[in-house]
Amino acid sequence: MMAVVSTNANISLPIFLVDAFAAKQFQGNPAAVCLLQNEILSDVQMLQIAQEMKQSETAFVSPVNQTDNFQTGSNFNLRWFTPTNEVNLCGHATMATSAVIFEKKCNVNEQLTFHTRSGQLMVKTCHEDLVMNFPMYPTVPQEESTVKELIKLSIGEIIPQDLQFATLQFGDLVIRLPDTLSRNDLENLKPDTTAMMKAQPNGPVKGVIITLKGSHENGATDDNDQQFDFISRYFAPWNGIPEDPVTGAAHTVLASYWSRQLNKTSLYARQCSARGGNVRLTVKETRVDLAGKASIVVEGKINLNKC
């Protein structure tokens, strides 16, 4: 166990801002990454830093073994905080953390293992991509009557083609749009996230995934005209995130659903937020590889004054 930093001492911690699932800067999903070598912050301090950084997630990472450092270690403790609370899993902040350790700290290992609330998460490099190996979370059919108001606040008068619910870890409601709709239809939706929270203030739903099967006909293609297998958007106002730009955790749910629907284990996806990002997925029994690129855009220090 690492020694706790005295509350009477001023400390300065390395912090980074990284665009994850981004082919270039200012795309994908930004996350803050705070490196802790010998320091252990309280939950209150981590939440305060996350609030100060104002990103959907701020990651806090430290070596599991006190004798390791960020260059030689392969096992790290990892936690994620939104501006309102700690979360069980965050894909893009894990990718951002890995980018910092591999690129800025020149880590010598082929693979990093992160110890988290969701178990062990492995990340390795493959060419220019970072490949994350995560648990996959299955869905079960969702009865419409219990979430009828939430559906209307999410997609208006559109009748969903399918409704699913991911009970493990997240509480994500999956709303599949009819195959007859287009990418533009998905991107033009304007869910009322404030009303969504009021409709389910204490219920099991903590996130809403809206997804659509991809095709050339409905415009679900990348810049090289390659078809996406599916596209999506993700809303989590219950965790202080009205809309998340690109969500690795949501794709651990979508991988389970769409691999069954399409009878495929290799999937290509797009999250259609304003920033947007592409994700390549490989389903491996109960786990899934999520591959993408990351770009480090800010490097600095955050100073914590003595109490």
Side-chain angles (χ1 to χ4, degrees), residues 148-156 190-193 195-196 199:
K148 193 170 184 178
E149 183 179 2
L150 191 55
I151 294 169
K152 186 171 183 179
L153 292 168
S154 301
I155 63 173
K190 300 186 186 311
D192 186 337
T193 53
M196 287 163 66

Side-chain angles (χ1 to χ4, degrees), residues 151-170:
I151 294 169
K152 186 171 183 179
L153 292 168
S154 301
I155 63 173
E157 301 301 325
I158 297 170
I159 298 174
Q161 181 165 325
D162 193 12
L163 289 174
Q164 297 279 318
F165 189 69
T167 55
L168 294 175
Q169 291 279 0
F170 306 122

Side-chain angles (χ1 to χ4, degrees), residues 125-146:
T125 58
C126 182
H127 305 296
E128 295 181 353
D129 285 350
L130 290 163
V131 181
M132 306 185 295
N133 181 259
F134 279 14
M136 190 166 60
Y137 296 99
T139 62
V140 295
Q142 170 67 46
E143 176 63 41
E144 182 174 352
S145 61
T146 61

Side-chain angles (χ1 to χ4, degrees), residues 38 106 119 136 145 147 162 166 177 222 257 290:
N38 297 310
C106 301
M136 190 166 60
S145 61
V147 289
D162 193 12
L177 298 179
D222 66 13
Y257 176 76
L290 298 91

Side-chain angles (χ1 to χ4, degrees), residues 249-261:
H251 282 84
T252 66
V253 174
L254 289 165
S256 173
Y257 176 76
W258 282 111
S259 64
R260 297 196 311 270
Q261 293 293 310

Side-chain angles (χ1 to χ4, degrees), residues 132-262:
M132 306 185 295
N133 181 259
F134 279 14
M136 190 166 60
Y137 296 99
T139 62
V140 295
Q142 170 67 46
E143 176 63 41
E144 182 174 352
S145 61
T146 61
V147 289
K148 193 170 184 178
E149 183 179 2
L150 191 55
I151 294 169
K152 186 171 183 179
L153 292 168
S154 301
I155 63 173
E157 301 301 325
I158 297 170
I159 298 174
Q161 181 165 325
D162 193 12
L163 289 174
Q164 297 279 318
F165 189 69
T167 55
L168 294 175
Q169 291 279 0
F170 306 122
D172 281 341
L173 175 67
V174 180
I175 303 174
R176 177 177 173 179
L177 298 179
D179 293 348
T180 53
L181 296 188
S182 69
R183 176 176 178 171
N184 283 339
D185 292 322
L186 172 64
E187 292 178 343
N188 289 332
L189 291 173
K190 300 186 186 311
D192 186 337
T193 53
T194 300
M196 287 163 66
M197 287 184 63
K198 293 179 180 178
Q200 287 266 330
N202 301 304
V205 176
K206 299 301 178 186
V208 174
I209 303 170
I210 306 175
T211 187
L212 176 68
K213 181 181 178 182
S215 70
H216 277 91
E217 290 73 23
N218 70 8
T221 58
D222 66 13
D223 293 340
N224 297 316
D225 202 37
Q226 183 178 355
Q227 177 186 309
F228 296 113
D229 292 297
F230 65 90
I231 55 178
S232 66
R233 292 173 67 187
Y234 183 64
F235 304 88
W238 298 270
N239 287 317
I241 308 167
E243 180 171 9
D244 205 26
V246 191
T247 317
H251 282 84
T252 66
V253 174
L254 289 165
S256 173
Y257 176 76
W258 282 111
S259 64
R260 297 196 311 270
Q261 293 293 310
L262 302 176

Side-chain angles (χ1 to χ4, degrees), residues 43-159:
D43 289 3
V44 171
Q45 286 175 307
M46 286 188 275
L47 183 58
Q48 288 173 334
I49 291 172
Q51 292 168 343
E52 188 72 12
M53 296 308 296
K54 293 183 173 63
Q55 302 302 314
S56 57
E57 268 88 10
T58 296
F60 296 87
V61 60
S62 61
V64 169
N65 300 313
Q66 192 171 359
T67 55
D68 280 337
N69 57 46
F70 286 103
Q71 183 178 18
T72 60
S74 61
N75 285 269
F76 297 92
N77 296 309
L78 180 60
R79 297 174 69 181
W80 312 276
F81 283 76
T82 77
T84 61
N85 58 275
E86 185 173 8
V87 295
N88 291 330
L89 181 65
C90 181
H92 83 277
T94 304
M95 177 174 284
T97 302
S98 303
V100 170
I101 295 174
F102 277 126
E103 295 180 31
K104 288 296 181 179
K105 296 301 176 179
C106 301
N107 191 277
V108 298
N109 297 286
E110 293 183 359
Q111 178 175 286
L112 306 177
T113 300
F114 295 104
H115 300 255
T116 77
R117 279 186 168 189
S118 294
Q120 292 187 2
L121 310 177
M122 285 69 73
V123 184
K124 61 184 179 181
T125 58
C126 182
H127 305 296
E128 295 181 353
D129 285 350
L130 290 163
V131 181
M132 306 185 295
N133 181 259
F134 279 14
M136 190 166 60
Y137 296 99
T139 62
V140 295
Q142 170 67 46
E143 176 63 41
E144 182 174 352
S145 61
T146 61
V147 289
K148 193 170 184 178
E149 183 179 2
L150 191 55
I151 294 169
K152 186 171 183 179
L153 292 168
S154 301
I155 63 173
E157 301 301 325
I158 297 170
I159 298 174

